[in-house]
Amino acid sequence: MDATAERLLTAAREVFEEEGFRGATTRKIAARAGVNEVTLFRHFASKEELIGAALEHGHRTAMARLDAVALPEQPEDLDAELRPYLRHVLAAFSAAGRGVRTALAEWEHLPAYHAWLLGPSERVMADIERYLAAAAARGLVRPGADPAAAAHLLVATLFMHGLLPPLMPAHFPQGPGAGADACIDLVLEALRPPEKESG
């Protein structure tokens, strides 16, 4: 990808995050990228194609970041393995918060982009559930604990603390990280086998 196309993708994502799909005109995107509209249309046939390419690029970037911090196939220590992974995902959710809030507000109007918008969250959910199921098989999770339900709780925690602090600062006085850690503590404590509760 050449530098102009890269600038256009970045500009398209930024303008989309700020103004939504309808407000993200090709004129605004071109101006943000420092090019004229003719140049924009040499690279992308339409606004729809450009926004889609920007979201796909963001999807690929997010998936690569998840690959870099993948949970182990054979769990050994939930605190040492799962907690850093969850903090990494929380940081990513927080960084993408504005764009995610914009996409959610326009969800019904963006069906062609759902796979790119949902991909990272679905990947996180699947990775956590797989990890917890493997941890349960190794006796690191209390008998009867549901890996899918625990994954839902953890992803909901990340989603809430990644997206809501700018909108509800009074409810997150210590920032997203501290609040998320407290919620993660509760889930991990509930998952621990009985013999490890006192330790």
Side-chain angles (χ1 to χ4, degrees), residues 91-158:
F93 273 162
S94 296
R98 186 172 189 173
V100 173
R101 289 190 295 272
T102 299
L104 289 174
E106 299 195 4
W107 190 252
E108 294 180 5
H109 306 292
L110 303 175
Y113 306 143
H114 286 183
W116 295 326
L117 293 167
L118 281 177
S121 295
E122 289 181 336
R123 164 73 178 276
V124 168
M125 182 84 74
D127 284 354
I128 294 173
E129 186 174 344
R130 174 203 54 78
Y131 173 83
L132 290 176
R138 303 194 76 190
L140 300 174
V141 170
R142 69 172 175 80
D146 183 347
H152 289 173
L153 286 171
L154 291 169
V155 171
T157 293
L158 299 175

Side-chain angles (χ1 to χ4, degrees), residues 18-194:
E18 294 166 8
E19 305 200 31
F21 184 81
R22 290 190 181 102
T25 65
T26 54
R27 180 175 296 180
K28 291 176 182 175
I29 294 169
R32 179 73 60 92
V35 301
N36 58 42
E37 282 188 279
V38 173
T39 300
L40 183 153
F41 286 118
R42 284 193 189 120
H43 287 80
F44 300 96
S46 65
K47 179 177 89 167
E48 290 77 12
E49 181 183 312
L50 173 54
I51 297 289
L55 294 175
E56 183 183 15
H57 184 261
H59 166 86
R60 287 196 312 268
T61 301
M63 298 301 252
R65 287 178 180 156
L66 290 174
D67 287 340
V69 294
L71 289 164
E73 293 292 327
Q74 295 297 320
E76 295 184 7
D77 184 324
L78 267 64
D79 279 301
E81 295 162 351
L82 185 56
R83 192 181 297 276
Y85 173 85
L86 295 172
R87 286 178 177 154
H88 176 85
V89 174
L90 175 60
F93 273 162
S94 296
R98 186 172 189 173
V100 173
R101 289 190 295 272
T102 299
L104 289 174
E106 299 195 4
W107 190 252
E108 294 180 5
H109 306 292
L110 303 175
Y113 306 143
H114 286 183
W116 295 326
L117 293 167
L118 281 177
S121 295
E122 289 181 336
R123 164 73 178 276
V124 168
M125 182 84 74
D127 284 354
I128 294 173
E129 186 174 344
R130 174 203 54 78
Y131 173 83
L132 290 176
R138 303 194 76 190
L140 300 174
V141 170
R142 69 172 175 80
D146 183 347
H152 289 173
L153 286 171
L154 291 169
V155 171
T157 293
L158 299 175
F159 202 76
M160 178 178 71
H161 287 85
L163 300 183
L164 293 184
L167 304 178
M168 306 170 66
H171 292 278
F172 301 90
Q174 297 176 315
D181 277 343
C183 294
I184 291 166
D185 285 342
L186 288 173
V187 175
L188 293 184
E189 187 61 32
L191 288 173
R192 286 191 181 95

